Amino acid sequence: MMATDVTSRETALAALRANPLIFFTDAHEARIGDPEFDVTFDALGMDSLSRMELSIWIELELGLEVTEVEIQEMASLEGLARFIAGASAR
Amino acid sequence: MTIDRFEHCQSRAEHLRRFIDLENELSPSEMLALWQGRQTLPDYLTGPLRKTIEMMAAGAADARAWIRVPLAANVSLYRAPQSKAGTSLLICFCGNVNRLMVPIPVFLQFIPETMFDVLIVKDPSRLGYLRGVPGFADDLAGVVDQIRARVKLDSYADIRCIGTSGGGSAALYAGLLLAAGRAISVCGKHRSLSRHVAGNPDDGGAFTGDEFDAMVRDHIDGAATELLLVYGGKSQRDIEGARSLMRYLPKARPLVIKPLDDHNALLYLLQTKRLHDFFARFLFPGLPAGSLGE
């Protein structure tokens, strides 16, 4: 699958890094610069509270309302980046 | 009088943020009152509220009668309406999201208010209490001093400490300094493993917290405080965290939840209906059977 554009991916990473409940392991950190690297929300330890935190971040930073269910459906860093890219294109 | 807990909230994000804050603060009866007034709240709060109320019911069928007494910014004492003799004090150090892996009213539903007072301490700066508690004390030793100054510790039969995640190591260190009977870290780690704490750019990397290790080293040999490290047996992150603490606190005893691969051990115990048993066996050993409600 084609990776999303750099800006959307960076924004997605910023959103996840701002989340106090999400944990990037050293293995994640080692590959995070690779544009093809993806990681699921489950692997980052995302739970209900962290989904709520992410939805708050997206609304405050990007002006988009997104539900917990929609975040669950994004499922990964790449999914979040695709969502952001789609929202920017609209 | 009805209290508008969401006063000044307009956007969805503001309501959700406020809801998270309330989950980190309210007593069980205050949270129940919020649920009972849910018809005045936006629909998107109903689901999260219901989830909290359901978790509270897992601890006790009725809301326990805790009274919340704010002592300072980020420090509150929860106690029964009437004081009673022989009470123990449970000092709790929240993790980086200002709760004890579960919302505060949920946690309190698992603790009998007739037998304990609960002091809940938070470090919203997420520095593992190395910079103390904003509005209360400037470092961990100061937090302990402030607790001594503001809480009549000698009026309690016993002191216990527990800390989760980012509050785990603080619970162990404070437990030693306060001569607690037992101190438990749930999925905590030594600050040397924390990128955020060890390399905080605001501190220029200069503040390491080494003095706390030196301080407890002077106390630990003669200390009667039992130290427990709780973590999941399949959570590599927390296995490493426990090992990091054992390097500095070699007397600490590991308590492994073998099937657990997640960081949130208390939520796992709650969901598998073992949180009552966990508290009875490891936080309050010696209590009469059934005294924690299950």
Side-chain angles (χ1 to χ4, degrees):
Chain A
M1 182 185 295
M2 275 292 290
T4 46
D5 66 277
V6 173
T7 305
S8 300
R9 186 180 165 84
E10 282 176 355
T11 305
L13 261 177
L16 296 177
R17 287 200 188 281
N19 195 311
L21 290 138
I22 283 178
F23 181 76
F24 285 94
T25 64
D26 288 343
H28 296 146
E29 293 290 355
R31 296 195 55 207
I32 214 110
D34 175 357
E36 297 296 325
F37 170 68
D38 195 12
V39 57
T40 66
F41 289 165
D42 283 347
L44 293 173
M46 191 178 277
D47 61 7
S48 172
L49 179 60
S50 41
R51 284 192 292 275
M52 203 184 288
E53 289 281 0
L54 181 55
S55 82
I56 292 171
W57 192 95
I58 290 171
E59 184 175 335
L60 293 178
E61 298 297 324
L62 307 177
L64 301 166
E65 282 197 9
V66 54
T67 66
E68 266 194 65
V69 173
E70 288 170 311
I71 287 174
Q72 243 169 335
E73 288 168 357
M74 294 173 198
S76 71
L77 167 64
E78 184 64 18
L80 176 58
R82 275 199 303 274
F83 168 81
I84 292 168
S88 308
R90 281 197 288 272
Chain B
M1 185 181 73
T2 305
I3 302 168
D4 182 3
R5 303 280 185 193
F6 293 88
E7 194 179 14
H8 306 308
C9 293
Q10 296 192 345
S11 68
R12 184 174 176 279
E14 286 171 337
H15 278 93
L16 291 175
R17 168 61 58 216
R18 183 72 185 126
F19 176 70
I20 293 171
D21 291 344
L22 292 170
E23 278 197 323
N24 294 343
E25 177 186 356
L26 296 185
S27 67
S29 55
E30 289 173 309
M31 185 55 77
L32 184 62
L34 200 62
W35 171 247
Q36 288 164 342
R38 63 190 177 281
Q39 68 280 358
T40 64
L41 301 176
D43 288 346
Y44 50 78
L45 288 178
T46 305
L49 248 176
R50 178 180 292 111
K51 192 184 289 182
T52 303
I53 294 295
E54 287 172 355
M55 286 196 289
M56 283 170 51
D62 298 322
R64 293 189 184 275
W66 293 103
I67 304 287
R68 177 168 56 93
V69 184
L71 297 186
N74 304 305
V75 182
S76 290
L77 183 69
Y78 297 76
R79 57 172 178 73
Q82 276 92 37
S83 61
K84 57 276 167 194
T87 306
S88 296
L89 177 66
L90 176 61
I91 305 175
C92 305
F93 291 85
C94 294
N96 286 348
V97 286
N98 302 316
R99 58 178 63 191
L100 295 156
M101 293 189 157
V102 294
I104 297 302
V106 173
F107 182 87
L108 290 171
Q109 283 290 91
F110 286 83
I111 312 291
E113 74 280 16
T114 52
M115 304 174 73
F116 300 92
D117 284 359
V118 176
L119 184 70
I120 294 188
V121 184
K122 301 167 188 167
D123 175 14
S125 66
R126 298 178 190 158
L127 291 170
Y129 297 86
L130 292 179
R131 286 294 194 201
V133 171
F136 190 63
D138 293 335
D139 60 29
L140 183 56
V143 171
V144 170
D145 289 343
Q146 281 295 314
I147 290 173
R148 283 197 184 103
R150 299 200 194 196
V151 182
K152 291 179 182 170
L153 296 180
D154 56 6
S155 69
Y156 292 101
D158 188 18
I159 298 172
R160 303 277 154 142
C161 293
I162 187 169
T164 58
S165 192
S169 60
L172 301 178
Y173 287 36
L176 284 166
L177 296 176
L178 291 167
R182 182 168 285 204
I184 301 181
S185 160
V186 182
C187 301
K189 62 185 176 185
H190 189 263
R191 63 166 197 291
S192 56
L193 280 194
S194 170
R195 293 182 207 114
H196 181 53
V197 172
N200 178 29
D202 293 340
D203 291 327
F207 184 77
T208 64
D210 287 344
E211 58 270 47
F212 298 127
D213 290 320
M215 198 183 301
V216 295
R217 208 177 300 129
D218 293 341
H219 282 68
I220 197 163
D221 283 340
T225 305
E226 289 182 77
L227 304 177
L228 284 183
L229 307 173
V230 178
Y231 58 95
K234 294 182 177 175
S235 171
Q236 195 56 38
R237 158 194 185 184
D238 292 323
I239 291 169
E240 288 170 15
R243 283 181 186 150
S244 71
L245 285 167
M246 274 188 272
R247 278 195 285 277
Y248 293 86
L249 303 168
K251 285 186 174 176
R253 185 157 59 93
L255 181 61
V256 184
I257 304 170
K258 286 184 181 171
L260 177 62
D261 62 1
D262 190 69
H263 180 61
N264 195 331
L266 293 191
L267 181 62
Y268 170 83
L269 291 170
L270 186 155
Q271 289 172 334
T272 54
K273 302 185 190 306
R274 287 185 282 174
L275 191 53
H276 276 297
D277 183 54
F278 169 77
F279 283 152
R281 288 174 63 192
F282 300 111
L283 192 54
F284 314 122
L287 282 186
S291 54
L292 285 175
E294 196 174 73

